[in-house]
Amino acid sequence: MKKQINILVSLAIILSIQACGSIPDPLGAGEPQSSQSQATPGEEAQPDTQSPYLQIQTTLRSNPPCAGNKEMRKDAILSLDAYLKDDSSRWSPEISVLYGNMMGFVESEITEPVTSGVRIWSMYNHGFIVKTPSTVFAFDLVHGYPSWKYQIPDAILEQIQVLFISHKHDDHRDPTIIRAITDLGGEVVMPVEEWLASLDLVYLSADEDATLAGLHIKAYDGLHGDIPVRMYVVTTPEGLTIMHTGDNQTSETLPDGVTVDILLLNAWVNDSGSASPVDGMRNSINKLTPRLTILGHIQEMSHLYDPSDIKSRLSFEAPLAVDDGSLPGYVSVQVWGEHCDFPPE
């Protein structure tokens, strides 16, 4: 399928990015790579064993979410965070290579069978892929930050039976991914307010129910300024309930009386500015009492990093500070391409 050109406007900077090309991989000999990451023709890739990004990648792979050493994970994630806080890192070839490597793990893992429970991959921004023994579905998939010139390959997209989109913002909705998934036979669910006449999609209103690919779906209204947002509660054929909050900005608009096994929570939730993101996340988790929370919408690179500005992108520091030992369930902070198996084996 012909890839379209995505245009992302970030303040006064306009970046026009064409469909993905090949990116040399200086990092990981012997590590699984995306089918899109290749060495320059005629050159043998020479990994830099001293690269801090390779060291971060190695530590995270040796200590996976929900199973690895939490302190080692925290140190590695904060090391990555320190690089990402520098706005110039958005154009760093090393960051784009790290991202491609991590997406390569998703590509190699997504065909592996899940025999019980679920496996949940964190993708870019607030995107997730969920695989159960019987189905694969996803939320808010986008390719990544456009300057990285990465596109999720069909080898991943063809696995997805249902894609849920919370709202129309570019960091949550990508027209090329919508078209690819529908062309590959999958379904796409969107807020009814964002009806697209040219596409045969499933549109849900607030408080509406639906069943797709064996999934029972309940849609709820979220709050995100004047932008229509759907929060989806999805019950799998195996009986697990997973909720994705989109860009809902306050714990007060989370539905009452909902039982949630797994919560995919946007980490910048700050109760509409009346609380810090740390308190907003804790309030949300305490309200829904999930068995597992995976935090998303962290280091979304189209926002500048300026903690004094409410529009600043969120670093990993706040999500890592959320779990103070008092919250219900397990809280997982994940980097792009990492997955959590639930319940842990």
Side-chain angles (χ1 to χ4, degrees), residues 100 116 120 129 201 216:
S116 64
I120 303 176
I129 298 176
L201 309 182
H216 178 263

Side-chain angles (χ1 to χ4, degrees), residues 34-50:
S34 163
S35 61
Q36 295 179 319
S37 296
Q38 303 173 4
T40 302
E43 294 183 5
E44 182 179 352
Q46 297 294 326
D48 178 4
T49 58
Q50 300 303 312

Side-chain angles (χ1 to χ4, degrees), residues 40-316:
T40 302
E43 294 183 5
E44 182 179 352
Q46 297 294 326
D48 178 4
T49 58
Q50 300 303 312
S51 165
Y53 300 100
L54 175 59
Q55 295 171 25
I56 290 166
Q57 177 181 307
T58 299
T59 299
L60 293 176
R61 292 295 294 177
S62 301
N63 296 277
C66 305
N69 183 297
K70 293 183 75 170
E71 288 305 311
M72 292 184 71
R73 285 188 53 76
K74 181 177 180 179
D75 289 346
I77 292 172
L78 287 176
S79 295
L80 175 62
D81 205 41
Y83 294 110
L84 295 177
K85 286 178 180 179
D86 181 350
D87 285 332
S88 67
S89 69
R90 295 184 290 181
W91 297 280
S92 166
E94 289 185 292
I95 291 292
S96 65
V97 168
L98 174 63
Y99 182 75
N101 285 350
M102 299 303 286
M103 291 296 102
F105 292 119
V106 180
E107 185 177 353
S108 65
E109 293 166 351
I110 198 167
T111 57
E112 297 174 357
V114 172
T115 57
S116 64
V118 295
R119 173 169 286 187
I120 303 176
W121 289 269
S122 291
M123 304 296 280
Y124 183 72
N125 191 33
H126 203 29
F128 299 89
I129 298 176
V130 182
K131 184 168 185 175
T132 80
S134 61
T135 189
V136 181
F137 55 100
F139 300 93
D140 284 7
L141 280 191
V142 297
H143 292 296
Y145 186 61
S147 74
W148 298 340
K149 300 184 180 181
Y150 178 87
Q151 290 194 343
I152 298 172
D154 285 354
I156 293 175
L157 298 180
E158 67 188 7
Q159 300 288 323
I160 296 170
Q161 295 169 267
V162 183
L163 169 64
F164 298 92
I165 296 175
S166 63
H167 65 292
K168 68 180 182 179
H169 283 156
D170 290 345
D171 54 338
H172 297 259
R173 185 184 78 175
D174 190 305
T176 66
I177 290 179
I178 292 173
R179 178 68 70 181
I181 287 179
T182 55
D183 286 350
L184 291 164
E187 302 270 15
V188 177
V189 180
M190 289 181 55
V192 68
E193 296 90 340
E194 307 303 339
W195 183 71
L196 299 173
S198 60
L199 294 174
D200 182 19
L201 309 182
V202 177
Y203 298 95
L204 293 184
S205 304
D207 299 320
E208 188 171 357
D209 293 89
T211 300
L212 292 171
L215 302 170
H216 178 263
I217 304 151
K218 177 77 171 185
Y220 294 90
D221 245 343
L223 177 65
H224 188 31
D226 60 355
I227 304 298
V229 169
R230 288 295 98 83
M231 299 184 291
Y232 299 104
V233 176
V234 179
T235 303
T236 72
E238 296 79 17
L240 284 174
T241 299
I242 300 165
M243 182 176 187
H244 182 270
T245 63
D247 268 359
N248 180 61
Q249 65 195 47
T250 172
S251 61
E252 295 180 359
T253 50
L254 295 172
D256 294 313
V258 173
T259 300
V260 174
D261 293 304
I262 300 170
L263 175 63
L264 307 177
L265 177 66
N266 64 299
W268 66 263
V269 59
N270 59 10
D271 287 349
S272 296
S274 66
S276 70
V278 171
D279 288 338
M281 285 182 274
R282 288 175 179 165
N283 293 342
S284 299
I285 294 168
N286 280 320
K287 182 172 183 176
L288 294 173
T289 65
R291 297 163 63 193
L292 168 67
T293 299
I294 303 178
L295 299 170
H297 215 308
I298 307 166
Q299 286 290 11
E300 202 288 289
M301 306 297 285
S302 65
H303 295 270
L304 295 176
Y305 179 71
D306 179 1
S308 67
D309 187 342
I310 196 170
K311 294 182 179 179
S312 170
R313 68 176 180 270
L314 191 73
S315 77
F316 279 96

